[in-house]
Amino acid sequence: MEERPSLIAPVATAIVVVAAWWFLVPLLGINPRYLPSLSTVVADGLSIRSDLVAGFWRTFVETALGFLVGSLIGFAVGVVFAYIPILERAFLPILVAAQTIPVIAFGAIVVIWFGNTILAKVVIAFYLSFFPVTVATIRGLETVDRDRENLMRSFGASGRQIFLKLALPTALPLIMVGLKIGVSFSLAGAIVGEFFGDTVGLGVLLIQALYFEQVPRIWVLIVACAILGTIPYALLVLVERRWVWWRAE
Amino acid sequence: MPAEGLLALRNVWKRFHSGGTETVALHDVDFVIEPGQFVTLIGPSGCGKSTLFNIIAGLEEPDGDGSVLFQGQPQRHRDLLGKVSFMPQKDLLFPWRTVLDNAALALEIEGMPRKAARQKAAALFPEFGLQGFEKHYPRQLSGGMRQRVALMRTFLFERELLLLDEPFGALDALTRSMMQRWLLEIWARHRRTVLFITHDIDEAIFLGDRVIVMSARPGTVRCDERVDLPRPRSGEVMLTPQFLDVKRRLLAIVEEESRKTFSASA
Amino acid sequence: MNLLPVTVALAGLLALWELAIALFRVPGFVLPRPLDIATAVMENPGLYASGMLLTALEAIGGFAAGAALGFGLAVLMVLFRPLERALVPIAIAISSVPSIAFIPLALVWFGLGPVSKVAMAALAVVFVVLLNTLNGLKRPDREAINLLRSFGAGRLGILWRLQLPAAMPAVVTGLRVGLARSTIAVIVAEMLGAYAGIGQIIYQATVQVDALHVWAGVAVATAGSLLLNAVLVAVDRRLVWWS
Ligand SMILES: Nc1ncnc2c1ncn2[C@@H]1O[C@H](COP(=O)(O)OP(=O)(O)OP(=O)(O)O)[C@@H](O)[C@H]1O
Ligand SMILES: [Mg+2]
């Protein structure tokens, strides 16, 4: 049941939500401690725009660096593990288990190691994206079926050709899923890293807003985080639409 | 019995519109099927056979030009749902149901309690050569076995008209000829009306009282041939001059239509 | 499954850990020895056990509520398509915010007690389960649906016999991802503001730059989540019994 994604519904929903938030919230007299009107939020956002831009950029850099390094190394490790069965059998269960534990708590240790530096956040963002990408790569390469591989062999394909023409294309849809998870984990990692202490970043601003209970500011930052989360995700979706349009079996 | 037989198609058209282009799948399909008849339908790939079945099963609406009559009554869209037993081209077994529960699916939907449905389905297992596989899941079966489970599921949905879309397509030649003879036996015993799609001319002639040959897309009835071979038929019948005579004639038409399919796309 | 390679790998990692400390004389505040971490936990087992228990209860409570809500909404959405068209964009928008960004809001709204943690756990799981279930329910193709319609099945019959079972693998994936996120959300929320819980224990140790007890807390949190996940895996087997 393939449906063409239509923009009408999302746009209509967005307009309704924005309008309700802007006009209805003050009209209904909702306590601003719970939900301040959108106009208050926008005004507050404008009042701290330079901090906001600096924090946004800093968190973006941490996320992007951590994600790039994490996904590259994750992919490489995944390929190695997938092709060396003994390593896969030894480490895949550990990697899978690692996905179910709150690895983010290790952030506290990373901050003790690296101090309140940008490096600490990059490292957290790095290892958070590393796990899902590695697991997705191994899983994706595993789904290559024997019959197709034998077919390639019967054509006299070399190992390299089989990897590039069969294994990698088969694995890519799953790897893309891993990358999308990885990038959102990276962002979460960068923000949590900033919670532990720093001077610039969206996480820092969030903590400050929490201490002073500035609810409009918290909303400003939530929206900023949403934008920051959407940009790399949308880029990955575009990459997927353009180059990895086929589905995993 | 009304003059229109069990099923009558009158000037049936089907056009698909997608992405600005129109595909005419069927044009002016016109035939009548008498109760108890075994009719085989043969035609080049993509000529609209499955589309025709979807229309007869009430799943798809024919274009406004024509009409479908069942037991003399004109049928509108969806009227036929639940009235004919339909076996699609793919086996479409549910991976989460055992073979037995897959076979009993239609009975359950009819409202039969699960236990009774299972009992009724289980009784057919030996006849379908599936005894001992009741508790298996579809992924543990071979392609031919899956096809037989799908056929059993259709059979258990007891309706006057059976639509079979290439039911033996995935079977090996041996099992296939066994299943053909077995199907004729069942049909002789139950006398249900069968409309049977196949790609195999021998199969079409061996099974059918009538062979309908469809033209290349847009599909229509190209020729409607009676097969008067005596029943019950055994494998021997395929060697008789009468059989070969029919085959020679049909082969020429089918080949001509198939060639159209390929030269049109070339 | 052969456990030998995994056991060897785990033993190897531990040996490497010990070796690194011995070879490079890594000070304890950088990387404590595994045995020291275990001792630190055992010196005060009540503290860690009660902390982890609270965290687990908060996570399970929020997870159950959020998962049920997400699943129920998804079923409603396939039955009433306009609802889907209106709500899915909102769901996607909210789920694109890392859920930890909502923690300050949850703390302001619900205070430092367990309610804010339960709310965060529910928020962390609801959209994953919602979107996964929705995708799963829409997975059966036209032909399979048509087969059931040809047997005379109605909207609810198709939902019950075809769409729900077909959705289960996707639901299970949603639950797995959701449980991990719930636990993370609760722990991070406890770090930012709580009276108790394993996250708060880790946070206190971090503030005091007490690496040994940070490790101890993280180790307990890890063990606890592995246990939670093992329970979920057992549940999953029943939801997808045929594979
Ligand atoms: N839902 C649809 N939308 C658009 N075109 C369709 C649709 N269903 C079928 N068609 C087109 O109608 C034509 C007939 O398809 P159909 O499946 O009925 O062929 P067929 O005779 O069963 O072929 P085969 O023997 O290969 O099974 C094809 O050209 C197909 O592309
Ligand atoms: Mg067909």
Side-chain angles (χ1 to χ4, degrees):
Chain A
M1 283 200 287
E2 202 68 29
E3 278 172 32
R4 278 195 79 76
S6 150
L7 279 179
I8 300 170
V11 169
T13 310
I15 291 172
V16 169
V17 169
V18 165
W21 193 358
W22 193 291
F23 300 109
L24 217 55
V25 167
L27 253 163
L28 293 178
I30 292 174
N31 186 347
R33 185 178 155 78
Y34 291 106
L35 189 60
S37 81
L38 189 52
S39 53
T40 325
V41 174
V42 171
D44 190 72
L46 288 175
S47 74
I48 55 154
R49 59 180 171 275
S50 61
D51 280 355
L52 197 60
V53 169
F56 191 91
W57 176 246
R58 171 69 173 264
T59 308
F60 174 75
V61 170
E62 293 163 358
T63 307
L65 282 180
F67 171 68
L68 283 180
V69 181
S71 52
L72 281 177
I73 297 185
F75 175 71
V77 171
V79 172
V80 171
F81 279 17
Y83 282 96
I84 304 179
I86 185 69
L87 281 185
E88 191 208 306
R89 260 184 292 155
F91 286 99
L92 184 62
I94 299 177
L95 288 170
V96 171
Q99 298 213 287
T100 68
I101 63 176
V103 275
I104 217 161
F106 284 94
I109 293 159
V110 175
V111 171
I112 291 181
W113 280 354
F114 295 95
N116 284 337
T117 59
I118 186 168
L119 188 61
K121 285 82 183 179
V122 173
V123 168
I124 300 173
F126 154 74
Y127 75 67
L128 283 176
S129 51
F130 167 82
F131 287 112
V133 175
T134 311
V135 172
T137 308
I138 297 177
R139 285 269 155 82
L141 290 172
E142 261 178 0
T143 58
V144 178
D145 79 318
R146 284 264 158 263
D147 294 340
R148 289 203 175 88
E149 203 177 319
N150 287 336
L151 179 72
M152 291 290 281
R153 273 189 223 295
S154 80
F155 295 151
S158 66
R160 209 180 96 97
Q161 283 173 316
I162 292 181
F163 180 74
L164 287 179
K165 290 186 194 304
L166 173 65
L168 193 58
T170 310
L172 272 177
L174 268 180
I175 296 178
M176 290 305 300
V177 175
L179 288 176
K180 286 193 252 176
I181 297 173
V183 80
S184 61
F185 278 19
S186 282
L187 175 57
I191 294 174
V192 171
E194 290 167 355
F195 283 170
F196 288 112
D198 206 331
T199 47
V200 200
L202 293 181
V204 179
L205 293 173
L206 264 172
I207 290 289
Q208 289 169 356
L210 170 62
Y211 285 148
F212 298 109
E213 298 208 357
Q214 298 162 309
V215 176
R217 175 100 13 120
I218 295 180
W219 279 105
V220 168
L221 293 162
I222 286 176
V223 172
C225 286
I227 296 170
L228 184 46
T230 309
I231 293 171
Y233 192 89
L235 280 178
L236 283 173
V237 171
L238 283 182
V239 168
E240 197 176 16
R241 288 245 173 96
R242 181 82 176 70
W243 286 293
V244 196
W245 69 89
W246 59 92
R247 289 273 70 87
E249 276 168 10
Chain B
M1 192 51 62
E4 290 89 359
L6 177 69
L7 173 79
L9 302 186
R10 295 275 174 245
N11 187 30
V12 167
W13 286 71
K14 184 71 195 175
R15 306 166 186 85
F16 289 108
H17 303 270
S18 54
T21 58
E22 189 189 70
T23 312
V24 184
L26 296 171
H27 92 273
D28 189 17
V29 177
D30 215 303
F31 60 76
V32 177
I33 291 177
E34 300 302 332
Q37 252 186 350
F38 197 124
V39 180
T40 50
L41 196 68
I42 192 164
S45 178
C47 74
K49 303 184 293 293
S50 298
T51 306
L52 189 64
F53 266 27
N54 282 339
I55 289 173
I56 300 173
L59 293 163
E60 200 119 45
E61 193 172 18
D63 294 343
D65 330 34
S67 53
V68 177
L69 280 79
F70 188 69
Q71 292 174 328
Q73 304 296 317
Q75 304 290 321
R76 274 168 311 142
H77 187 37
R78 296 193 179 141
D79 283 354
L80 282 162
L81 287 177
K83 288 196 196 153
V84 297
S85 47
F86 168 60
M87 175 174 173
Q89 204 165 355
K90 290 192 224 157
D91 61 56
L92 298 175
L93 298 180
F94 292 179
W96 52 85
R97 283 176 169 252
T98 60
V99 170
L100 182 61
D101 285 339
N102 262 295
L105 176 68
L107 297 176
E108 274 179 41
I109 291 174
E110 277 187 284
M112 190 182 281
R114 193 168 248 212
K115 204 166 155 227
R118 278 184 181 157
Q119 247 167 20
K120 190 164 173 198
L124 273 186
F125 270 65
E127 252 188 296
F128 280 74
L130 287 164
Q131 196 159 30
F133 288 94
E134 290 86 345
K135 294 252 145 57
H136 286 58
Y137 283 93
R139 71 192 151 84
Q140 300 167 304
L141 303 187
S142 72
M145 293 165 88
R146 295 175 62 113
Q147 200 86 2
R148 275 181 275 158
V149 179
L151 189 56
M152 185 168 15
R153 179 180 59 195
T154 306
F155 237 87
L156 281 161
F157 188 58
E158 290 171 342
R159 293 294 181 272
E160 175 67 40
L161 179 61
L162 269 166
L163 301 178
L164 307 178
D165 195 345
E166 293 194 50
F168 304 148
L171 302 184
D172 61 281
L174 263 177
T175 320
R176 191 178 177 128
S177 63
M178 263 186 50
M179 293 295 292
Q180 288 169 354
R181 261 166 284 164
W182 166 87
L183 179 64
L184 285 184
E185 258 173 54
I186 299 264
W187 172 74
R189 239 183 295 142
H190 300 271
R191 277 288 154 182
R192 287 202 246 161
T193 315
V194 178
L195 195 53
F196 185 107
I197 292 181
T198 176
H199 271 127
D200 178 345
I201 296 201
D202 285 325
E203 185 171 73
I205 305 171
F206 179 69
L207 293 175
D209 294 318
R210 254 167 86 191
V211 181
I212 295 181
V213 182
M214 285 183 68
S215 69
R217 192 166 53 83
T220 187
V221 176
R222 172 64 209 271
C223 110
D224 191 339
E225 176 94 16
R226 282 208 74 84
V227 182
D228 287 320
L229 298 169
R231 294 190 189 267
R233 296 174 186 170
S234 70
E236 301 282 290
V237 84
M238 295 203 192
L239 302 172
T240 61
Q242 205 187 343
F243 185 96
L244 292 174
D245 186 45
V246 177
K247 182 173 172 181
R248 197 170 304 117
R249 242 176 307 134
L250 293 184
L251 203 55
I253 302 172
V254 169
E255 283 198 343
E256 188 192 327
E257 292 302 330
S258 299
R259 229 175 293 125
K260 277 190 207 158
T261 305
F262 286 97
S263 58
S265 57
Chain C
M1 193 174 73
N2 191 353
L3 283 179
L4 185 67
V6 184
T7 320
V8 171
L10 278 176
L13 286 176
L14 279 181
L16 207 68
W17 187 338
E18 288 278 358
L19 198 71
I21 292 170
L23 272 182
F24 304 110
R25 304 185 179 287
V26 182
F29 67 86
V30 173
L31 186 64
R33 302 178 49 177
L35 201 65
D36 292 342
I37 296 172
T39 317
V41 176
M42 290 325 289
E43 268 168 6
N44 205 344
L47 173 76
Y48 290 101
S50 63
M52 189 60 224
L53 186 66
L54 178 67
T55 303
L57 287 179
E58 289 164 344
I60 293 171
F63 170 78
L69 184 65
F71 182 83
L73 276 175
V75 171
L76 279 182
M77 282 180 186
V78 290
L79 289 178
F80 308 106
R81 276 309 170 78
L83 202 63
E84 179 190 346
R85 258 171 266 145
L87 291 186
V88 162
I90 299 183
I92 292 179
I94 300 180
S95 62
S96 73
V97 187
S99 48
I100 49 165
F102 285 103
I103 293 175
L105 201 59
L107 292 176
V108 172
W109 282 0
F110 302 116
L112 300 188
V115 180
S116 54
K117 317 301 178 297
V118 173
M120 279 310 301
L123 177 74
V125 68
V126 65
F127 295 110
V128 205
V129 171
L130 169 68
L131 295 175
N132 265 284
T133 308
L134 200 57
N135 270 334
L137 289 172
K138 292 199 284 185
R139 188 172 304 166
D141 55 19
R142 191 99 308 268
E143 284 154 323
I145 292 173
N146 275 346
L147 178 74
L148 287 192
R149 288 174 63 213
S150 87
F151 292 148
R155 195 71 204 80
L156 287 175
I158 293 172
L159 180 70
W160 178 246
R161 291 208 162 75
L162 176 62
Q163 292 179 300
L164 278 177
M168 279 309 154
V171 174
V172 162
T173 311
L175 291 178
R176 293 238 174 116
V177 176
L179 183 63
R181 291 197 185 168
S182 289
T183 335
I184 289 169
V186 169
I187 291 178
V188 177
E190 286 172 348
M191 287 176 169
L192 288 192
Y195 304 114
I198 199 72
Q200 187 60 26
I201 294 172
I202 296 173
Y203 180 71
Q204 293 295 340
T206 313
V207 173
Q208 292 157 19
V209 203
D210 178 356
L212 181 63
H213 287 93
V214 173
W215 275 98
V218 171
V220 171
T222 303
S225 342
L226 284 177
L227 205 66
L228 276 187
N229 201 63
V231 175
L232 185 66
V233 168
V235 174
D236 291 349
R237 292 247 165 81
R238 325 211 87 211
L239 290 179
V240 191
W241 64 89
W242 59 89
S243 68

